[in-house]
Amino acid sequence: MQTVIKNRYTQKVIVESEKTLIETVVANRADLCGADLRGANLCGADLRGANLCGANLCGADLRGADLRGADLRDADLRGANLCGMRIKKEQIDSVIHELDIIVLE
């Protein structure tokens, strides 16, 4: 079973039930709120301004992905590869909270 998500800002995003796959790396401003993106290959994806609120990104490959301005509230990032991921300075606290990281000073 496939779900095709389209909106006026994105090309075509295909989410398959078993193994999530993003057909295009350009999904900026896409509404992916609550999407099940476990294990998705989002390496280098352009997700600027995307709504990922409550999305399940467990184990997703976000290496080099551009998430500047994306809404990551309540997104599950456990086990995700965040190496080289781009976010705005204002988003750092949100990402730290979602990963349940304790920053010691």
Side-chain angles (χ1 to χ4, degrees):
M1 186 175 130
Q2 288 185 343
T3 304
V4 178
I5 302 167
K6 283 186 169 187
N7 67 24
R8 64 186 176 142
Y9 301 109
T10 185
Q11 291 171 357
K12 183 166 73 171
V13 178
I14 294 181
V15 180
E16 293 182 356
S17 59
E18 287 290 314
K19 190 172 181 181
T20 306
L21 178 329
I22 301 298
E23 187 175 89
T24 178
V25 294
V26 180
N28 56 347
R29 296 190 184 182
D31 185 1
L32 298 169
C33 183
D36 184 356
L37 299 169
R38 286 175 291 181
N41 180 2
L42 298 168
C43 188
D46 180 355
L47 295 164
R48 287 174 292 169
N51 182 0
L52 292 162
C53 182
N56 185 344
L57 292 158
C58 287
D61 186 353
L62 291 163
R63 289 175 295 152
D66 192 345
L67 287 138
R68 289 176 290 179
D71 185 351
L72 296 168
R73 286 175 297 138
D74 298 322
D76 192 344
L77 297 164
R78 290 174 295 161
N81 188 339
L82 308 177
C83 186
M85 180 181 78
R86 293 178 178 184
I87 58 173
K88 289 184 177 182
K89 196 173 189 177
E90 305 83 57
Q91 293 173 278
I92 292 172
D93 287 337
S94 176
V95 171
I96 288 172
H97 173 73
E98 299 311 329
L99 291 172
D100 200 19
I101 295 172
I102 298 171
V103 179
L104 302 174
E105 295 185 32

